[in-house]
Amino acid sequence: ETSQGQRAKCWKNGAEVNLEGVPNSGHSYCYALFASGTGIYVAGDKKDCSGENRTTAWKNGLKIFSDISPSFYISKAYDIFVK
């Protein structure tokens, strides 16, 4: 948690991994985590510039997906699986 908001993070081999695209003052939430090989996959959401929650997925801290639907829709991801 930062002084201005909650920030989702994950840890890989004991090292903290910040999630790409989430400013220190922004809000992000992790609802699911999946490990496969050397990859750590995180599913959740982050607030966009308009303050709406947007589904986002990260691999090893790098954003691999972010919802871009119209701003009047709120989206969240509650699970992630990699084959």
Side-chain angles (χ1 to χ4, degrees):
E1 186 168 328
T2 69
S3 62
Q4 308 238 342
Q6 297 177 337
R7 186 169 189 205
K9 299 179 181 188
C10 65
W11 282 258
K12 183 175 181 181
N13 298 324
E16 183 179 308
V17 177
N18 287 313
L19 302 178
E20 177 184 59
V22 181
N24 284 333
S25 62
H27 290 276
S28 59
Y29 304 92
C30 171
Y31 299 110
L33 185 121
F34 186 82
S36 177
T38 60
I40 302 294
Y41 297 84
V42 176
D45 64 68
K46 67 181 188 82
K47 289 200 182 279
D48 65 11
C49 59
S50 68
E52 299 296 334
N53 290 353
R54 295 287 173 209
T55 297
T56 306
W58 297 268
K59 178 183 178 186
N60 295 330
L62 300 177
K63 184 171 60 171
I64 57 174
F65 174 81
S66 191
D67 180 26
I68 57 169
S69 56
S71 63
F72 52 86
Y73 292 110
I74 296 173
S75 61
K76 297 182 180 203
Y78 290 104
D79 205 358
I80 191 164
F81 179 78
V82 179
K83 207 170 182 187

